[in-house]
């Protein structure tokens, strides 16, 4: 197995069966072998810096019905909320004071937030924070909507592909959602000029090692600037509630493989990883990740954006989260930095931003 990791390090890609073989046969020893390499590459491009993104979960209304997600429209037990534009701007204000230079506006696919309203919100954030990056994570839209958001000042877009295998995609989503449209969105976003993030859940129901290998090959093909992954965590009010959670070990192993596959990619150590293990986010950094995304949402809505069970940090103030992250990263010899943390493999072609 070590030869395969050496080969991946050298070529930055493997064949489908080679990736699958690694994923099926990984051990703690092999993981350590991988992480030493993935950390080295990460240090080469990003040193010991950790980029922070301020996450603003501005609505948990959603018109979609993804089978794994706690804010799916059929979940009658989800207590719904929306933030106003003023509340979103307040989150940015406190985030800016805490050193955040990227704001991530994430939400369910909520028709209340029309394109016009989103453009208004994005333009207001852009006007007040010309030195910050604006990241959107609001799901599948038309080319025209994505373009309007970009023109209003958004720079980046996170849209996990969830799984590159269309048959697997069909087992996790209702039939009105398609793998093809999800991928179409990602290519549209790239074309428009966004820094794009795709990603997937590790250990999602019905997932095979081959599926994960396909995810890596899809990532290689798309060449995104960011890749967000985290373990699948069952949510008790969803149809997939009885499936097992993804593991810490496999998620870390996948982070290492992604770092070797796209050496300079921005790779978050996610909240879901921190949820399945108390030091999950630190271990993610040690496996090659270089981004963390603390929450800036107001405390009174924090405990309502529950995509999965036992989500951490739902009671904390933004300042506490920021401080906690500094300590956590410091404890493993890394440093949270105050800057936009743009992708280094990205050359802005179309613009002023
Ligand atoms: N509505 C937006 C934002 C989605 S929420 C969109 O469509 O992109 C962000 C991510 O949370 C999802 O892409 C999914 O990968 C992840 N997620 C949802 N439910 C989850 C669960 N039960 N366990 C782990 N991750 C989950």
């Amino acid at each position: 197995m070590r030869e395969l990791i050496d080969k991946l390090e050298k070529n930055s890609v493997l064949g489908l069966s080679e990736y699958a073989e690694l994923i099926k046969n990984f051990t703690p020893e092999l993981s350590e072998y991988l992480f030493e390499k993935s950390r080295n590459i990460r240090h080469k491009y990003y040193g010991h810096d950790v980029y922070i993104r301020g996450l603003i979960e501005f609505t948990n209304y959603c018109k979609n019905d993804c089978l794994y997600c706690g804010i799916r429209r059929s979940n009658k037990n989800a207590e719904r909320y929306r933030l106003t534009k003023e509340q979103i701007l307040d989150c940015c204000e406190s985030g800016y004071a805490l050193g955040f230079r990227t704001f991530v506006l994430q939400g369910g696919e909520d028709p209340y937030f029309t394109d016009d309203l989103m453009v208004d919100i994005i333009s207001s954030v852009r006007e007040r924070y010309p030195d910050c990056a604006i990241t959107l994570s609001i799901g599948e839209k038309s080319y025209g909507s994505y373009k309007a958001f970009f023109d209003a000042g958004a720079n980046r877009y996170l849209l996990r592909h969830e799984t590159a295998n269309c048959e697997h995609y069909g087992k996790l989503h209702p039939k009105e959602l398609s793998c093809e449209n999800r991928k179409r969105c990602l290519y549209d976003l790239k074309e428009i000029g966004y820094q794009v993030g795709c990603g997937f859940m590790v250990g999602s129901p019905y997932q095979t090692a081959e599926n994960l290998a396909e995810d890596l090959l899809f990532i290689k093909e798309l060449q995104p600037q960011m890749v967000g992954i985290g373990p699948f965590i069952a949510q008790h009010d969803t149809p997939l509630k009885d499936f097992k959670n993804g593991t810490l070990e496999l998620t870390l192993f996948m982070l290492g493989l992604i770092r070797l596959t796209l050496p300079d990619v921005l790779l978050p150590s996610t909240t879901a990883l921190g949820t399945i293990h108390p030091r999950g986010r630190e271990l993610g950094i040690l496996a090659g990740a270089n981004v963390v995304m603390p929450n800036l949402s107001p405390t009174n809505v924090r405990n309502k954006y529950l995509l999965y069970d036992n989500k951490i940090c739902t009671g904390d103030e933004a300042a506490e989260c920021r401080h906690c992250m500094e300590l956590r990263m410091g404890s493993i010899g890394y440093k949270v930095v105050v800057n936009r943390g743009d992708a280094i493999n990205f050359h802005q072609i179309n613009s002023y931003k």
Side-chain angles (χ1 to χ4, degrees), residues 130-320:
D131 56 332
C132 292
I134 302 174
T135 305
L136 301 178
S137 179
I138 51 175
E140 298 175 30
K141 307 274 174 185
S142 67
Y143 185 97
S145 302
Y146 287 148
K147 179 80 169 71
F149 304 156
F150 185 81
D151 291 341
N155 316 92
R156 308 180 188 149
Y157 206 103
L158 304 181
L159 185 78
R160 291 187 177 180
H161 63 283
E162 311 298 358
T163 170
N165 180 292
C166 291
E167 203 184 317
H168 184 217
Y169 194 93
K171 295 180 180 165
L172 301 177
H173 297 93
K175 59 178 180 318
E176 61 275 16
L177 293 176
S178 80
C179 174
E180 289 82 10
N181 194 54
R182 196 95 182 157
K183 290 180 184 171
R184 187 273 303 161
C185 289
L186 285 164
Y187 283 102
D188 280 356
L189 289 161
K190 273 201 96 171
E191 188 181 311
I192 292 166
Y194 283 95
Q195 297 179 40
V196 170
C198 67
F200 54 90
M201 290 177 286
V202 178
S204 63
Y206 311 105
Q207 184 179 64
T208 63
E210 281 75 18
N211 293 155
L212 286 169
E214 288 171 84
D215 287 322
L216 294 171
L217 288 175
F218 173 70
I219 288 167
K220 191 70 191 176
E221 179 196 301
L222 178 70
Q223 296 274 325
Q225 282 70 39
M226 302 165 270
V227 179
I229 71 164
F232 161 76
I233 304 176
Q235 203 282 354
H236 64 277
D237 284 320
T238 61
L240 299 176
K241 63 179 180 349
D242 295 325
F243 282 83
K244 280 212 289 290
N245 291 346
T247 65
L248 172 78
E249 293 76 12
L250 183 55
T251 308
L252 296 175
F253 195 71
M254 293 307 298
L255 283 172
L257 293 181
I258 294 169
R259 174 60 69 206
L260 294 201
T261 301
L262 287 183
D264 57 6
V265 81
L266 293 163
L267 194 57
S269 192
T270 54
T271 306
L273 194 54
T275 296
I276 56 164
H277 188 281
R279 293 183 67 248
R281 285 166 300 175
E282 291 88 318
L283 295 169
I285 297 293
L286 293 170
N290 68 323
V291 175
V292 289
M293 301 172 69
N295 207 309
L296 288 180
S297 308
T299 38
N300 63 326
V301 302
R302 281 283 180 103
N303 56 355
K304 300 191 173 75
Y305 197 82
L306 300 176
L307 311 179
Y308 47 80
D309 288 346
N310 304 317
K311 186 176 172 199
I312 52 168
C313 311
T314 54
D316 304 343
E317 294 283 350
E320 293 172 59

Side-chain angles (χ1 to χ4, degrees), residues 56 86-99 103 128-129 296:
I56 304 169
E86 286 63 39
Q87 286 176 306
I88 294 173
L89 289 168
D90 287 347
C91 291
C92 295
E93 190 179 335
S94 50
Y96 193 90
L98 292 169
F103 303 122
R128 290 191 198 187
Y129 303 99
L296 288 180

Side-chain angles (χ1 to χ4, degrees), residues 325-346:
M325 203 51 77
E326 183 115 14
L327 293 178
R328 284 175 181 274
M329 297 299 120
S331 77
I332 52 169
Y334 288 78
K335 189 173 180 305
V336 170
V337 295
V338 176
N339 70 36
R340 280 179 38 134
D342 279 296
I344 53 180
N345 66 349
F346 185 79

